[in-house]
Amino acid sequence: MDPRAHGVALAAKGFLHDEEGLRLHELARECAPLGPLVEIGSYCGKSSVYLGAGARAAGGTLVCVDHHRGSEEQQPGQLYHDSDLFDAEAGAMDSLPLLRRTLRAAGLEDTAVLLVTRSAVASRIWSTPLGLLFIDGGHTFEAAEGDYRGWVGKIARGGILAIHDLFPDPNEGGQAPITIYRHAVASGLFDELPTIRTLGILRRR
Ligand code: MG
């Protein structure tokens, strides 16, 4: 991975381990020729840089889908709240300025397209087959199932579905991401690739 982008990814706020990020980078590079890459849940751009640098290396495009108002657990008073991202005038979270700063620092402004809206709204207007779909949005069952239903059918044959925050042990973390991962396995449409830490990876048959 290009060292400038890697440095930006390592420094960005976020919850993705470097090993997971480097695997996403490798997959992005491999899948970008199949179609655009879509990331659900960009937050401040950590995963966007790993994916975007891979897309750029292959001449592809990354689409970052996020409403930037924070997930359930990032709201004021919640476990993952970051007061630096609170827009007092709006009375709401706003991670968009940080995402833009991160992408600019990584030199990815011409590679990443930002779709600032809810995943369900974006999926309604999206029909281009995807080279890769990375789901790392809201972690409620409703949000994760919505991301799954709205987007998984759009992955091109040979493309990748990656899902972050798989916790086989419920004491380690929420169960919504691993539940949609299991749906994907049960659908018979995917082959499982090795999981990297909490990053599940499936290839569309
Ligand atoms: Mg995550």
Side-chain angles (χ1 to χ4, degrees):
M1 180 172 180
D2 132 49
R4 171 182 167 198
H6 195 200
V8 172
L10 289 169
K13 282 181 197 278
F15 308 96
L16 186 78
H17 191 280
D18 187 45
E19 267 178 54
E20 299 171 325
L22 290 170
R23 181 67 174 129
L24 284 176
H25 177 263
E26 182 178 66
L27 291 166
R29 198 169 175 150
E30 175 198 320
C31 294
L34 296 174
L37 319 178
V38 164
E39 163 183 77
I40 312 287
S42 301
Y43 190 49
C44 301
K46 193 186 231 354
S47 54
S48 318
V49 172
Y50 287 105
L51 288 165
R56 180 179 56 195
T61 301
L62 169 68
V63 179
C64 300
V65 180
D66 198 314
H67 49 68
H68 289 286
R69 294 306 187 192
S71 61
E72 305 74 16
E73 67 268 34
Q74 290 165 349
Q75 300 308 313
Q78 302 298 310
L79 184 60
Y80 292 102
H81 180 64
D82 181 336
S83 57
D84 294 350
L85 304 179
F86 192 73
D87 176 346
E89 190 188 318
M93 298 291 291
D94 187 2
S95 49
L96 179 59
L98 261 99
L99 173 62
R100 297 205 70 191
R101 192 183 302 171
T102 302
L103 292 172
R104 182 177 52 75
L108 290 169
E109 288 186 300
D110 292 331
T111 299
V113 175
L114 311 191
L115 262 182
V116 183
T117 186
R118 298 193 167 274
S119 148
V121 176
S123 76
R124 287 203 294 269
I125 57 161
W126 192 276
S127 56
T128 308
L130 305 177
L132 178 149
L133 174 67
F134 176 49
I135 300 182
D136 191 22
H139 285 13
T140 62
F141 281 93
E142 192 185 8
E145 298 275 1
D147 292 341
Y148 182 84
R149 278 195 310 273
W151 291 94
V152 165
K154 302 180 194 292
I155 301 169
R157 285 179 177 271
I160 288 288
L161 169 60
I163 302 174
H164 195 224
D165 298 313
L166 303 189
F167 294 106
D169 177 356
N171 295 315
E172 303 274 309
Q175 294 296 288
I178 201 165
T179 299
I180 61 169
Y181 178 87
R182 288 172 180 148
H183 287 338
V185 172
S187 74
L189 294 171
F190 294 92
D191 293 316
E192 286 184 276
L193 274 61
T195 294
I196 306 294
R197 291 179 172 260
T198 70
L199 178 70
I201 305 164
L202 301 148
R203 188 182 299 279
R204 178 72 169 84
R205 284 182 184 153

